[in-house]
Amino acid sequence: MPTVGELLPSAVERLRVAGSESARLDAEVLLASAIGTERTTLLAYPEVPVGPEALERFEEAVARRLRGEPVAYIRGIKEFFGLAFAADGRALIPRPETERLVEIGLAAVMARLTAAEHGRGSPLVRVLDVGTGGGAVIISIASELRRRRVDLGRDVTLAATDDSAEALDLARENAVGHAVGDAIEFIEADLLPPELPAGAAPIDVIVANLPYVRSGAIAGLPIAASFEPPRALDGGTDGLAVIRRLLALLPDALAADGVALFEIGADQGEDAPAALREVLPGWNAAIEKDIAGHPRILSVARGTEL
Ligand code: GLN
């Protein structure tokens, strides 16, 4: 039986030749998953023999990766915000930069909870994740709020929409997997839930990782992206078409002191605020950067002057 240490180098080499930029990591993650262990354990015990069934699983996984399929779909798992999410072709794979959306969304929720505790307004903070896909953003927010002993349902309500029924199925599975299935309402809808009461402006915090890749740039994305649902990436001619559609709905959806947080592309730090000025003149925009220092979140709120 071949050992871990014998199998890895040839797999790394094949993946490198096929064009993977993370050949070593890919090989290690796929072998660990084929054996049913953690990558760190694998690296600590290179002398461990790999049995025939694990070897077959590993070779199948490498073959799929060689055809360009993302590791997250092959494993069926992607880590995000310290949690493991089920990942498959029903939804976009959660990206590390999207953790920023979770952090800023959480900060917006906590600030409103604290204000509410000091007796200002209703104690309920209403959060909506628009275009939730596999649910990573809203589930991460829910898990972290629960960890902080926030009473979900009483102090914070959480809902999420997507126009893809199959993405919502994955999101529900993930929510159940993280024990927040009862805390999040998943709604099949194009952007906003249909039954929002007119004029009620009921949402305090909107988080949205909508498609924002320019249609013309889709073909140039890494081949792994071609395994993801195109509608989760394609943001129209300038990448901002879907974001603009949601911006136009904010006056009726967002509470007076509400905030809407949009993930944007690293090169949209000027175009996204310009789109806001065009769609909602007088509203405020701020740009937050991701850990790599790139513009990543467009934060939108009503203007203060009336
Ligand atoms: N960051 C993703 C990519 O570049 C795009 C995600 C999105 O459109 N929301 O592949």
Side-chain angles (χ1 to χ4, degrees), residues 197-269:
I203 305 163
D204 299 292
V205 178
I206 289 179
V207 288
N209 178 16
L210 295 168
Y212 57 70
V213 180
R214 291 187 305 281
S215 303
I218 300 274
L221 291 177
I223 184 170
S226 69
F227 289 80
E228 300 187 291
R231 74 210 251 206
L233 290 165
D234 193 337
T237 316
D238 69 350
L240 293 168
V242 187
I243 288 177
R244 249 190 226 99
R245 278 209 296 126
L246 180 54
L247 286 173
L249 299 173
L250 291 184
D252 286 334
L254 206 57
D257 60 353
V259 66
L261 303 165
F262 295 81
E263 181 171 320
I264 57 169
D267 59 353
Q268 292 170 333

